[in-house]
Amino acid sequence: MAAPSAGAQKLEQGIQSEHVLQLQEQLRDLGYFKAGLTGYYGSVTKSAVRKFQQAQGLSADGIAGPATLNRLNKKVKAEGETLRQLAKLIHGEARGESFEGQVAVGAVVLNRVQSSAFPSSIPQVIFQKGQFTAIDDGQFNTKPTATSYKAARKALNGVDPTNGALYYYNPKIATSLWSKSRPTLLTIGQHDFTR
């Protein structure tokens, strides 16, 4: 993942994006961010940015503007590991689906991060035991495509074709009676999306 251009980027509270996720990863790597990686710029991210700014002698306003991002990019390289994990999950779970269907699978992960019923970070949701077939059967370990990355970015940037779904399944191959008992919100491709 390329670092956001310091001159063209300003991140602040209320934003959800792949750039916020990258910011959180960088702050975590430097020891300032100790919460779940969500891609959402909330009060915890603002506080971490403020602490980084104070330590660097920058204006501590909690907004990651050009000066803060430039200093951060000099301190730690942006690896984009969480984006890669989301793209791998999308590829493993929905590579045969339409682009909208792939974005929808990514959106379910982000919806779960925001739900109190699930872990509060993208990696924790992805690797939660028994939740995704691609993790259980090894499809997660296949190389994601450019389309999978594009779908992951769309979901991280707030696109949710499911309107808040927390689950999905393929009714043609699903064996879980629990999954099938949930009311379907919508169907995209081979997946039924539910809450």
mmCIF file of all heavy atoms in Angstrom, residues 15-18 20-21 24 37-40 82-83 85-87 89-90 102-116 118-123 125-126 132 151-162 164-166 168:
data_model
loop_
_atom_site.group_PDB
_atom_site.id
_atom_site.type_symbol
_atom_site.label_atom_id
_atom_site.label_comp_id
_atom_site.label_asym_id
_atom_site.label_seq_id
_atom_site.Cartn_x
_atom_site.Cartn_y
_atom_site.Cartn_z
ATOM 1 N N ILE A 15 -13.942 10.000 9.721
ATOM 2 C CA ILE A 15 -13.602 9.430 8.419
ATOM 3 C C ILE A 15 -13.396 7.927 8.545
ATOM 4 O O ILE A 15 -12.789 7.451 9.500
ATOM 5 C CB ILE A 15 -12.332 10.091 7.836
ATOM 6 C CG1 ILE A 15 -12.589 11.567 7.523
ATOM 7 C CG2 ILE A 15 -11.831 9.359 6.599
ATOM 8 C CD1 ILE A 15 -11.358 12.332 7.083
ATOM 9 N N GLN A 16 -13.891 7.177 7.569
ATOM 10 C CA GLN A 16 -13.604 5.748 7.451
ATOM 11 C C GLN A 16 -12.958 5.542 6.092
ATOM 12 O O GLN A 16 -13.527 5.909 5.078
ATOM 13 C CB GLN A 16 -14.877 4.910 7.537
ATOM 14 C CG GLN A 16 -14.607 3.429 7.350
ATOM 15 C CD GLN A 16 -15.871 2.589 7.408
ATOM 16 O OE1 GLN A 16 -16.837 2.954 8.036
ATOM 17 N NE2 GLN A 16 -15.831 1.464 6.744
ATOM 18 N N SER A 17 -11.746 4.997 6.087
ATOM 19 C CA SER A 17 -11.070 4.775 4.812
ATOM 20 C C SER A 17 -9.865 3.870 4.980
ATOM 21 O O SER A 17 -9.419 3.596 6.093
ATOM 22 C CB SER A 17 -10.610 6.109 4.204
ATOM 23 O OG SER A 17 -9.454 6.586 4.867
ATOM 24 N N GLU A 18 -9.349 3.441 3.845
ATOM 25 C CA GLU A 18 -8.122 2.634 3.850
ATOM 26 C C GLU A 18 -6.942 3.444 4.385
ATOM 27 O O GLU A 18 -6.033 2.888 4.992
ATOM 28 C CB GLU A 18 -7.807 2.115 2.451
ATOM 29 C CG GLU A 18 -7.466 3.230 1.470
ATOM 30 C CD GLU A 18 -7.208 2.738 0.072
ATOM 31 O OE1 GLU A 18 -6.104 2.215 -0.164
ATOM 32 O OE2 GLU A 18 -8.100 2.892 -0.769
ATOM 33 N N VAL A 20 -7.103 5.677 6.817
ATOM 34 C CA VAL A 20 -7.207 5.659 8.281
ATOM 35 C C VAL A 20 -6.665 4.329 8.804
ATOM 36 O O VAL A 20 -5.932 4.304 9.790
ATOM 37 C CB VAL A 20 -8.662 5.891 8.743
ATOM 38 C CG1 VAL A 20 -8.780 5.694 10.251
ATOM 39 C CG2 VAL A 20 -9.138 7.280 8.347
ATOM 40 N N LEU A 21 -6.981 3.246 8.130
ATOM 41 C CA LEU A 21 -6.453 1.937 8.524
ATOM 42 C C LEU A 21 -4.925 1.946 8.497
ATOM 43 O O LEU A 21 -4.268 1.484 9.422
ATOM 44 C CB LEU A 21 -6.993 0.842 7.601
ATOM 45 C CG LEU A 21 -6.505 -0.571 7.875
ATOM 46 C CD1 LEU A 21 -6.910 -1.039 9.260
ATOM 47 C CD2 LEU A 21 -7.049 -1.514 6.808
ATOM 48 N N GLN A 24 -3.643 3.910 11.430
ATOM 49 C CA GLN A 24 -3.731 3.113 12.657
ATOM 50 C C GLN A 24 -2.605 2.086 12.736
ATOM 51 O O GLN A 24 -2.012 1.894 13.798
ATOM 52 C CB GLN A 24 -5.088 2.413 12.738
ATOM 53 C CG GLN A 24 -6.242 3.365 12.977
ATOM 54 C CD GLN A 24 -7.596 2.686 12.865
ATOM 55 O OE1 GLN A 24 -7.760 1.640 12.234
ATOM 56 N NE2 GLN A 24 -8.603 3.309 13.477
ATOM 57 N N LEU A 37 -7.743 -2.460 14.917
ATOM 58 C CA LEU A 37 -7.616 -1.818 13.610
ATOM 59 C C LEU A 37 -8.969 -1.852 12.920
ATOM 60 O O LEU A 37 -9.450 -2.915 12.538
ATOM 61 C CB LEU A 37 -6.562 -2.534 12.771
ATOM 62 C CG LEU A 37 -5.162 -2.547 13.369
ATOM 63 C CD1 LEU A 37 -4.261 -3.512 12.622
ATOM 64 C CD2 LEU A 37 -4.574 -1.148 13.389
ATOM 65 N N THR A 38 -9.571 -0.679 12.753
ATOM 66 C CA THR A 38 -10.937 -0.602 12.253
ATOM 67 C C THR A 38 -11.076 0.146 10.933
ATOM 68 O O THR A 38 -12.057 -0.030 10.229
ATOM 69 C CB THR A 38 -11.840 0.106 13.269
ATOM 70 O OG1 THR A 38 -11.385 1.459 13.420
ATOM 71 C CG2 THR A 38 -11.823 -0.594 14.613
ATOM 72 N N GLY A 39 -10.151 1.043 10.623
ATOM 73 C CA GLY A 39 -10.298 1.901 9.455
ATOM 74 C C GLY A 39 -11.191 3.101 9.731
ATOM 75 O O GLY A 39 -11.436 3.910 8.848
ATOM 76 N N TYR A 40 -11.683 3.221 10.972
ATOM 77 C CA TYR A 40 -12.541 4.347 11.349
ATOM 78 C C TYR A 40 -11.782 5.286 12.285
ATOM 79 O O TYR A 40 -11.206 4.859 13.276
ATOM 80 C CB TYR A 40 -13.821 3.851 12.038
ATOM 81 C CG TYR A 40 -14.716 4.993 12.445
ATOM 82 C CD1 TYR A 40 -15.470 5.667 11.494
ATOM 83 C CD2 TYR A 40 -14.775 5.420 13.761
ATOM 84 C CE1 TYR A 40 -16.262 6.739 11.855
ATOM 85 C CE2 TYR A 40 -15.568 6.491 14.137
ATOM 86 C CZ TYR A 40 -16.310 7.144 13.170
ATOM 87 O OH TYR A 40 -17.090 8.216 13.521
ATOM 88 N N THR A 82 -3.261 -5.286 7.022
ATOM 89 C CA THR A 82 -4.677 -5.519 7.257
ATOM 90 C C THR A 82 -5.467 -5.439 5.960
ATOM 91 O O THR A 82 -6.385 -6.234 5.740
ATOM 92 C CB THR A 82 -5.217 -4.534 8.316
ATOM 93 O OG1 THR A 82 -4.415 -4.657 9.494
ATOM 94 C CG2 THR A 82 -6.660 -4.826 8.670
ATOM 95 N N LEU A 83 -5.119 -4.509 5.081
ATOM 96 C CA LEU A 83 -5.751 -4.447 3.759
ATOM 97 C C LEU A 83 -5.500 -5.757 3.015
ATOM 98 O O LEU A 83 -6.404 -6.318 2.399
ATOM 99 C CB LEU A 83 -5.214 -3.261 2.952
ATOM 100 C CG LEU A 83 -5.678 -3.207 1.493
ATOM 101 C CD1 LEU A 83 -7.173 -2.964 1.404
ATOM 102 C CD2 LEU A 83 -4.909 -2.130 0.732
ATOM 103 N N GLN A 85 -4.956 -8.708 4.314
ATOM 104 C CA GLN A 85 -5.763 -9.758 4.937
ATOM 105 C C GLN A 85 -7.219 -9.680 4.465
ATOM 106 O O GLN A 85 -7.832 -10.709 4.170
ATOM 107 C CB GLN A 85 -5.700 -9.652 6.459
ATOM 108 C CG GLN A 85 -4.363 -10.033 7.032
ATOM 109 C CD GLN A 85 -4.252 -9.732 8.515
ATOM 110 O OE1 GLN A 85 -5.055 -9.005 9.089
ATOM 111 N NE2 GLN A 85 -3.226 -10.288 9.142
ATOM 112 N N LEU A 86 -7.762 -8.477 4.385
ATOM 113 C CA LEU A 86 -9.142 -8.320 3.926
ATOM 114 C C LEU A 86 -9.266 -8.751 2.467
ATOM 115 O O LEU A 86 -10.217 -9.439 2.098
ATOM 116 C CB LEU A 86 -9.610 -6.877 4.124
ATOM 117 C CG LEU A 86 -11.078 -6.595 3.804
ATOM 118 C CD1 LEU A 86 -12.019 -7.474 4.637
ATOM 119 C CD2 LEU A 86 -11.387 -5.112 4.021
ATOM 120 N N ALA A 87 -8.297 -8.385 1.630
ATOM 121 C CA ALA A 87 -8.318 -8.794 0.222
ATOM 122 C C ALA A 87 -8.214 -10.317 0.092
ATOM 123 O O ALA A 87 -8.891 -10.928 -0.744
ATOM 124 C CB ALA A 87 -7.176 -8.113 -0.545
ATOM 125 N N LEU A 89 -9.242 -12.523 2.327
ATOM 126 C CA LEU A 89 -10.516 -13.089 2.747
ATOM 127 C C LEU A 89 -11.552 -12.956 1.631
ATOM 128 O O LEU A 89 -12.258 -13.912 1.309
ATOM 129 C CB LEU A 89 -11.028 -12.434 4.029
ATOM 130 C CG LEU A 89 -12.350 -13.049 4.505
ATOM 131 C CD1 LEU A 89 -12.099 -14.411 5.130
ATOM 132 C CD2 LEU A 89 -13.059 -12.136 5.457
ATOM 133 N N ILE A 90 -11.628 -11.785 1.026
ATOM 134 C CA ILE A 90 -12.576 -11.556 -0.068
ATOM 135 C C ILE A 90 -12.293 -12.529 -1.209
ATOM 136 O O ILE A 90 -13.205 -13.142 -1.761
ATOM 137 C CB ILE A 90 -12.512 -10.091 -0.546
ATOM 138 C CG1 ILE A 90 -13.119 -9.168 0.521
ATOM 139 C CG2 ILE A 90 -13.207 -9.916 -1.887
ATOM 140 C CD1 ILE A 90 -12.859 -7.692 0.300
ATOM 141 N N GLN A 102 -18.166 -9.112 -4.064
ATOM 142 C CA GLN A 102 -16.892 -9.099 -3.344
ATOM 143 C C GLN A 102 -16.845 -7.940 -2.352
ATOM 144 O O GLN A 102 -16.400 -8.112 -1.212
ATOM 145 C CB GLN A 102 -15.728 -9.028 -4.335
ATOM 146 C CG GLN A 102 -15.581 -10.305 -5.154
ATOM 147 C CD GLN A 102 -14.402 -10.256 -6.096
ATOM 148 O OE1 GLN A 102 -13.329 -9.801 -5.723
ATOM 149 N NE2 GLN A 102 -14.607 -10.724 -7.317
ATOM 150 N N VAL A 103 -17.320 -6.768 -2.770
ATOM 151 C CA VAL A 103 -17.379 -5.627 -1.854
ATOM 152 C C VAL A 103 -18.300 -5.958 -0.681
ATOM 153 O O VAL A 103 -18.000 -5.633 0.477
ATOM 154 C CB VAL A 103 -17.873 -4.348 -2.578
ATOM 155 C CG1 VAL A 103 -18.085 -3.196 -1.583
ATOM 156 C CG2 VAL A 103 -16.888 -3.930 -3.672
ATOM 157 N N ALA A 104 -19.400 -6.642 -0.957
ATOM 158 C CA ALA A 104 -20.358 -7.007 0.087
ATOM 159 C C ALA A 104 -19.714 -7.892 1.157
ATOM 160 O O ALA A 104 -19.954 -7.700 2.349
ATOM 161 C CB ALA A 104 -21.568 -7.702 -0.535
ATOM 162 N N VAL A 105 -18.883 -8.839 0.742
ATOM 163 C CA VAL A 105 -18.195 -9.694 1.717
ATOM 164 C C VAL A 105 -17.261 -8.844 2.582
ATOM 165 O O VAL A 105 -17.206 -9.000 3.803
ATOM 166 C CB VAL A 105 -17.439 -10.837 1.001
ATOM 167 C CG1 VAL A 105 -16.456 -11.531 1.945
ATOM 168 C CG2 VAL A 105 -18.431 -11.839 0.435
ATOM 169 N N GLY A 106 -16.541 -7.912 1.978
ATOM 170 C CA GLY A 106 -15.690 -7.000 2.751
ATOM 171 C C GLY A 106 -16.508 -6.145 3.698
ATOM 172 O O GLY A 106 -16.115 -5.905 4.845
ATOM 173 N N ALA A 107 -17.671 -5.700 3.247
ATOM 174 C CA ALA A 107 -18.533 -4.863 4.082
ATOM 175 C C ALA A 107 -19.029 -5.630 5.308
ATOM 176 O O ALA A 107 -19.144 -5.049 6.392
ATOM 177 C CB ALA A 107 -19.709 -4.338 3.258
ATOM 178 N N VAL A 108 -19.296 -6.919 5.152
ATOM 179 C CA VAL A 108 -19.726 -7.726 6.301
ATOM 180 C C VAL A 108 -18.643 -7.715 7.374
ATOM 181 O O VAL A 108 -18.935 -7.566 8.566
ATOM 182 C CB VAL A 108 -20.084 -9.170 5.873
ATOM 183 C CG1 VAL A 108 -20.183 -10.101 7.071
ATOM 184 C CG2 VAL A 108 -21.394 -9.173 5.086
ATOM 185 N N VAL A 109 -17.386 -7.818 6.968
ATOM 186 C CA VAL A 109 -16.283 -7.766 7.936
ATOM 187 C C VAL A 109 -16.300 -6.422 8.667
ATOM 188 O O VAL A 109 -16.224 -6.375 9.897
ATOM 189 C CB VAL A 109 -14.920 -8.005 7.255
ATOM 190 C CG1 VAL A 109 -13.770 -7.765 8.228
ATOM 191 C CG2 VAL A 109 -14.849 -9.413 6.671
ATOM 192 N N LEU A 110 -16.422 -5.330 7.924
ATOM 193 C CA LEU A 110 -16.439 -3.998 8.550
ATOM 194 C C LEU A 110 -17.675 -3.805 9.431
ATOM 195 O O LEU A 110 -17.579 -3.204 10.505
ATOM 196 C CB LEU A 110 -16.400 -2.898 7.472
ATOM 197 C CG LEU A 110 -15.039 -2.520 6.911
ATOM 198 C CD1 LEU A 110 -14.210 -1.778 7.916
ATOM 199 C CD2 LEU A 110 -14.275 -3.663 6.331
ATOM 200 N N ASN A 111 -18.809 -4.339 9.022
ATOM 201 C CA ASN A 111 -20.023 -4.259 9.849
ATOM 202 C C ASN A 111 -19.826 -5.006 11.155
ATOM 203 O O ASN A 111 -20.283 -4.562 12.211
ATOM 204 C CB ASN A 111 -21.228 -4.822 9.093
ATOM 205 C CG ASN A 111 -21.625 -3.960 7.911
ATOM 206 O OD1 ASN A 111 -21.270 -2.789 7.827
ATOM 207 N ND2 ASN A 111 -22.345 -4.553 6.975
ATOM 208 N N ARG A 112 -19.148 -6.141 11.095
ATOM 209 C CA ARG A 112 -18.885 -6.904 12.312
ATOM 210 C C ARG A 112 -17.958 -6.128 13.258
ATOM 211 O O ARG A 112 -18.151 -6.166 14.473
ATOM 212 C CB ARG A 112 -18.261 -8.259 11.973
ATOM 213 C CG ARG A 112 -19.251 -9.233 11.382
ATOM 214 C CD ARG A 112 -18.602 -10.578 11.120
ATOM 215 N NE ARG A 112 -19.575 -11.536 10.637
ATOM 216 C CZ ARG A 112 -19.371 -12.845 10.591
ATOM 217 N NH1 ARG A 112 -18.210 -13.357 10.998
ATOM 218 N NH2 ARG A 112 -20.297 -13.656 10.142
ATOM 219 N N VAL A 113 -16.976 -5.439 12.709
ATOM 220 C CA VAL A 113 -16.067 -4.643 13.550
ATOM 221 C C VAL A 113 -16.860 -3.607 14.334
ATOM 222 O O VAL A 113 -16.560 -3.338 15.499
ATOM 223 C CB VAL A 113 -14.969 -3.971 12.681
ATOM 224 C CG1 VAL A 113 -14.196 -2.934 13.476
ATOM 225 C CG2 VAL A 113 -14.020 -5.017 12.109
ATOM 226 N N GLN A 114 -17.892 -3.043 13.737
ATOM 227 C CA GLN A 114 -18.695 -2.007 14.389
ATOM 228 C C GLN A 114 -19.755 -2.579 15.324
ATOM 229 O O GLN A 114 -20.360 -1.854 16.102
ATOM 230 C CB GLN A 114 -19.362 -1.114 13.336
ATOM 231 C CG GLN A 114 -18.395 -0.357 12.454
ATOM 232 C CD GLN A 114 -17.449 0.541 13.231
ATOM 233 O OE1 GLN A 114 -17.839 1.190 14.183
ATOM 234 N NE2 GLN A 114 -16.187 0.557 12.840
ATOM 235 N N SER A 115 -19.990 -3.894 15.255
ATOM 236 C CA SER A 115 -21.008 -4.537 16.084
ATOM 237 C C SER A 115 -20.408 -5.013 17.407
ATOM 238 O O SER A 115 -19.323 -5.584 17.434
ATOM 239 C CB SER A 115 -21.592 -5.743 15.337
ATOM 240 O OG SER A 115 -22.376 -6.543 16.201
ATOM 241 N N SER A 116 -21.147 -4.830 18.485
ATOM 242 C CA SER A 116 -20.664 -5.284 19.797
ATOM 243 C C SER A 116 -20.689 -6.813 19.919
ATOM 244 O O SER A 116 -20.125 -7.373 20.851
ATOM 245 C CB SER A 116 -21.495 -4.659 20.915
ATOM 246 O OG SER A 116 -22.851 -5.062 20.795
ATOM 247 N N PHE A 118 -19.186 -8.850 17.914
ATOM 248 C CA PHE A 118 -17.976 -9.389 17.292
ATOM 249 C C PHE A 118 -16.738 -8.660 17.815
ATOM 250 O O PHE A 118 -16.850 -7.597 18.421
ATOM 251 C CB PHE A 118 -18.058 -9.233 15.768
ATOM 252 C CG PHE A 118 -19.127 -10.085 15.141
ATOM 253 C CD1 PHE A 118 -20.388 -9.571 14.905
ATOM 254 C CD2 PHE A 118 -18.873 -11.406 14.805
ATOM 255 C CE1 PHE A 118 -21.384 -10.354 14.351
ATOM 256 C CE2 PHE A 118 -19.855 -12.197 14.240
ATOM 257 C CZ PHE A 118 -21.109 -11.673 14.016
ATOM 258 N N PRO A 119 -15.559 -9.201 17.527
ATOM 259 C CA PRO A 119 -14.323 -8.498 17.922
ATOM 260 C C PRO A 119 -14.258 -7.108 17.288
ATOM 261 O O PRO A 119 -14.898 -6.839 16.276
ATOM 262 C CB PRO A 119 -13.217 -9.404 17.384
ATOM 263 C CG PRO A 119 -13.838 -10.750 17.270
ATOM 264 C CD PRO A 119 -15.274 -10.491 16.902
ATOM 265 N N SER A 120 -13.440 -6.240 17.870
ATOM 266 C CA SER A 120 -13.417 -4.834 17.453
ATOM 267 C C SER A 120 -12.245 -4.481 16.547
ATOM 268 O O SER A 120 -11.819 -3.333 16.510
ATOM 269 C CB SER A 120 -13.418 -3.934 18.686
ATOM 270 O OG SER A 120 -12.264 -4.202 19.466
ATOM 271 N N SER A 121 -11.722 -5.451 15.807
ATOM 272 C CA SER A 121 -10.695 -5.124 14.822
ATOM 273 C C SER A 121 -10.845 -6.029 13.610
ATOM 274 O O SER A 121 -11.371 -7.149 13.718
ATOM 275 C CB SER A 121 -9.280 -5.261 15.399
ATOM 276 O OG SER A 121 -8.850 -6.603 15.401
ATOM 277 N N ILE A 122 -10.401 -5.544 12.477
ATOM 278 C CA ILE A 122 -10.524 -6.293 11.226
ATOM 279 C C ILE A 122 -9.801 -7.640 11.315
ATOM 280 O O ILE A 122 -10.403 -8.672 11.011
ATOM 281 C CB ILE A 122 -10.037 -5.442 10.037
ATOM 282 C CG1 ILE A 122 -10.977 -4.235 9.849
ATOM 283 C CG2 ILE A 122 -9.955 -6.268 8.752
ATOM 284 C CD1 ILE A 122 -10.470 -3.161 8.922
ATOM 285 N N PRO A 123 -8.536 -7.682 11.738
ATOM 286 C CA PRO A 123 -7.879 -8.999 11.823
ATOM 287 C C PRO A 123 -8.583 -9.964 12.788
ATOM 288 O O PRO A 123 -8.695 -11.159 12.497
ATOM 289 C CB PRO A 123 -6.468 -8.667 12.315
ATOM 290 C CG PRO A 123 -6.234 -7.259 11.899
ATOM 291 C CD PRO A 123 -7.577 -6.597 12.016
ATOM 292 N N VAL A 125 -11.773 -10.081 13.541
ATOM 293 C CA VAL A 125 -12.997 -10.558 12.896
ATOM 294 C C VAL A 125 -12.644 -11.614 11.851
ATOM 295 O O VAL A 125 -13.266 -12.677 11.782
ATOM 296 C CB VAL A 125 -13.799 -9.395 12.259
ATOM 297 C CG1 VAL A 125 -14.850 -9.911 11.283
ATOM 298 C CG2 VAL A 125 -14.453 -8.547 13.339
ATOM 299 N N ILE A 126 -11.637 -11.339 11.034
ATOM 300 C CA ILE A 126 -11.247 -12.281 9.981
ATOM 301 C C ILE A 126 -10.858 -13.633 10.559
ATOM 302 O O ILE A 126 -11.246 -14.676 10.039
ATOM 303 C CB ILE A 126 -10.109 -11.693 9.119
ATOM 304 C CG1 ILE A 126 -10.648 -10.540 8.258
ATOM 305 C CG2 ILE A 126 -9.454 -12.772 8.246
ATOM 306 C CD1 ILE A 126 -9.573 -9.761 7.517
ATOM 307 N N PHE A 132 -15.368 -17.996 8.950
ATOM 308 C CA PHE A 132 -15.213 -17.921 7.497
ATOM 309 C C PHE A 132 -14.624 -19.219 6.951
ATOM 310 O O PHE A 132 -13.567 -19.666 7.397
ATOM 311 C CB PHE A 132 -14.318 -16.733 7.107
ATOM 312 C CG PHE A 132 -14.916 -15.401 7.463
ATOM 313 C CD1 PHE A 132 -14.438 -14.674 8.542
ATOM 314 C CD2 PHE A 132 -15.980 -14.878 6.732
ATOM 315 C CE1 PHE A 132 -14.992 -13.454 8.889
ATOM 316 C CE2 PHE A 132 -16.544 -13.663 7.071
ATOM 317 C CZ PHE A 132 -16.053 -12.940 8.155
ATOM 318 N N ALA A 151 -11.938 -4.343 -4.166
ATOM 319 C CA ALA A 151 -13.148 -4.572 -3.368
ATOM 320 C C ALA A 151 -12.892 -4.263 -1.887
ATOM 321 O O ALA A 151 -13.732 -3.670 -1.213
ATOM 322 C CB ALA A 151 -13.628 -6.006 -3.547
ATOM 323 N N ALA A 152 -11.716 -4.662 -1.392
ATOM 324 C CA ALA A 152 -11.362 -4.382 0.004
ATOM 325 C C ALA A 152 -11.301 -2.875 0.243
ATOM 326 O O ALA A 152 -11.802 -2.376 1.252
ATOM 327 C CB ALA A 152 -10.030 -5.039 0.355
ATOM 328 N N ARG A 153 -10.700 -2.148 -0.692
ATOM 329 C CA ARG A 153 -10.617 -0.687 -0.549
ATOM 330 C C ARG A 153 -12.002 -0.053 -0.563
ATOM 331 O O ARG A 153 -12.284 0.866 0.212
ATOM 332 C CB ARG A 153 -9.746 -0.106 -1.652
ATOM 333 C CG ARG A 153 -8.278 -0.360 -1.448
ATOM 334 C CD ARG A 153 -7.426 0.370 -2.506
ATOM 335 N NE ARG A 153 -6.039 0.194 -2.202
ATOM 336 C CZ ARG A 153 -5.242 -0.715 -2.774
ATOM 337 N NH1 ARG A 153 -5.725 -1.523 -3.704
ATOM 338 N NH2 ARG A 153 -3.982 -0.807 -2.430
ATOM 339 N N LYS A 154 -12.875 -0.528 -1.442
ATOM 340 C CA LYS A 154 -14.245 0.007 -1.510
ATOM 341 C C LYS A 154 -14.942 -0.184 -0.157
ATOM 342 O O LYS A 154 -15.574 0.738 0.359
ATOM 343 C CB LYS A 154 -15.051 -0.707 -2.593
ATOM 344 C CG LYS A 154 -14.830 -0.192 -3.972
ATOM 345 C CD LYS A 154 -15.722 0.978 -4.236
ATOM 346 C CE LYS A 154 -15.767 1.234 -5.727
ATOM 347 N NZ LYS A 154 -16.242 2.561 -6.022
ATOM 348 N N ALA A 155 -14.835 -1.396 0.397
ATOM 349 C CA ALA A 155 -15.475 -1.668 1.689
ATOM 350 C C ALA A 155 -14.867 -0.790 2.780
ATOM 351 O O ALA A 155 -15.592 -0.209 3.593
ATOM 352 C CB ALA A 155 -15.344 -3.148 2.045
ATOM 353 N N LEU A 156 -13.540 -0.676 2.795
ATOM 354 C CA LEU A 156 -12.876 0.165 3.794
ATOM 355 C C LEU A 156 -13.267 1.635 3.661
ATOM 356 O O LEU A 156 -13.271 2.372 4.639
ATOM 357 C CB LEU A 156 -11.355 0.031 3.679
ATOM 358 C CG LEU A 156 -10.775 -1.231 4.297
ATOM 359 C CD1 LEU A 156 -9.346 -1.442 3.820
ATOM 360 C CD2 LEU A 156 -10.832 -1.154 5.813
ATOM 361 N N ASN A 157 -13.585 2.042 2.453
ATOM 362 C CA ASN A 157 -13.970 3.429 2.217
ATOM 363 C C ASN A 157 -15.469 3.655 2.404
ATOM 364 O O ASN A 157 -16.001 4.678 2.007
ATOM 365 C CB ASN A 157 -13.497 3.886 0.842
ATOM 366 C CG ASN A 157 -11.990 4.042 0.795
ATOM 367 O OD1 ASN A 157 -11.385 4.507 1.753
ATOM 368 N ND2 ASN A 157 -11.361 3.643 -0.288
ATOM 369 N N GLY A 158 -16.157 2.666 3.021
ATOM 370 C CA GLY A 158 -17.532 2.868 3.432
ATOM 371 C C GLY A 158 -18.614 2.351 2.510
ATOM 372 O O GLY A 158 -19.797 2.533 2.790
ATOM 373 N N VAL A 159 -18.264 1.717 1.405
ATOM 374 C CA VAL A 159 -19.289 1.176 0.507
ATOM 375 C C VAL A 159 -19.832 -0.120 1.107
ATOM 376 O O VAL A 159 -19.075 -1.036 1.422
ATOM 377 C CB VAL A 159 -18.714 0.926 -0.911
ATOM 378 C CG1 VAL A 159 -19.741 0.261 -1.803
ATOM 379 C CG2 VAL A 159 -18.230 2.239 -1.518
ATOM 380 N N ASP A 160 -21.148 -0.182 1.276
ATOM 381 C CA ASP A 160 -21.793 -1.363 1.854
ATOM 382 C C ASP A 160 -23.061 -1.712 1.078
ATOM 383 O O ASP A 160 -24.148 -1.237 1.399
ATOM 384 C CB ASP A 160 -22.123 -1.134 3.330
ATOM 385 C CG ASP A 160 -22.775 -2.354 3.971
ATOM 386 O OD1 ASP A 160 -22.887 -3.411 3.313
ATOM 387 O OD2 ASP A 160 -23.189 -2.244 5.138
ATOM 388 N N PRO A 161 -22.934 -2.556 0.059
ATOM 389 C CA PRO A 161 -24.124 -2.945 -0.705
ATOM 390 C C PRO A 161 -25.112 -3.789 0.092
ATOM 391 O O PRO A 161 -26.236 -4.009 -0.338
ATOM 392 C CB PRO A 161 -23.561 -3.749 -1.878
ATOM 393 C CG PRO A 161 -22.128 -3.985 -1.625
ATOM 394 C CD PRO A 161 -21.708 -3.130 -0.474
ATOM 395 N N THR A 162 -24.730 -4.234 1.297
ATOM 396 C CA THR A 162 -25.592 -5.090 2.118
ATOM 397 C C THR A 162 -26.475 -4.307 3.082
ATOM 398 O O THR A 162 -27.332 -4.885 3.731
ATOM 399 C CB THR A 162 -24.754 -6.081 2.952
ATOM 400 O OG1 THR A 162 -24.136 -5.387 4.046
ATOM 401 C CG2 THR A 162 -23.721 -6.797 2.113
ATOM 402 N N GLY A 164 -25.694 -3.161 6.021
ATOM 403 C CA GLY A 164 -25.472 -3.530 7.412
ATOM 404 C C GLY A 164 -25.494 -5.012 7.743
ATOM 405 O O GLY A 164 -25.552 -5.372 8.917
ATOM 406 N N ALA A 165 -25.437 -5.879 6.749
ATOM 407 C CA ALA A 165 -25.465 -7.321 7.023
ATOM 408 C C ALA A 165 -24.270 -7.742 7.874
ATOM 409 O O ALA A 165 -23.172 -7.202 7.743
ATOM 410 C CB ALA A 165 -25.469 -8.114 5.720
ATOM 411 N N LEU A 166 -24.501 -8.727 8.744
ATOM 412 C CA LEU A 166 -23.445 -9.271 9.594
ATOM 413 C C LEU A 166 -23.047 -10.686 9.192
ATOM 414 O O LEU A 166 -22.041 -11.202 9.659
ATOM 415 C CB LEU A 166 -23.897 -9.276 11.058
ATOM 416 C CG LEU A 166 -24.118 -7.911 11.688
ATOM 417 C CD1 LEU A 166 -24.719 -8.064 13.084
ATOM 418 C CD2 LEU A 166 -22.819 -7.122 11.752
ATOM 419 N N TYR A 168 -23.378 -13.880 5.861
ATOM 420 C CA TYR A 168 -23.758 -14.285 4.510
ATOM 421 C C TYR A 168 -23.500 -15.774 4.382
ATOM 422 O O TYR A 168 -22.715 -16.361 5.137
ATOM 423 C CB TYR A 168 -22.979 -13.507 3.442
ATOM 424 C CG TYR A 168 -21.497 -13.720 3.488
ATOM 425 C CD1 TYR A 168 -20.895 -14.755 2.780
ATOM 426 C CD2 TYR A 168 -20.689 -12.905 4.263
ATOM 427 C CE1 TYR A 168 -19.522 -14.968 2.854
ATOM 428 C CE2 TYR A 168 -19.329 -13.104 4.340
ATOM 429 C CZ TYR A 168 -18.752 -14.135 3.634
ATOM 430 O OH TYR A 168 -17.399 -14.351 3.711
#
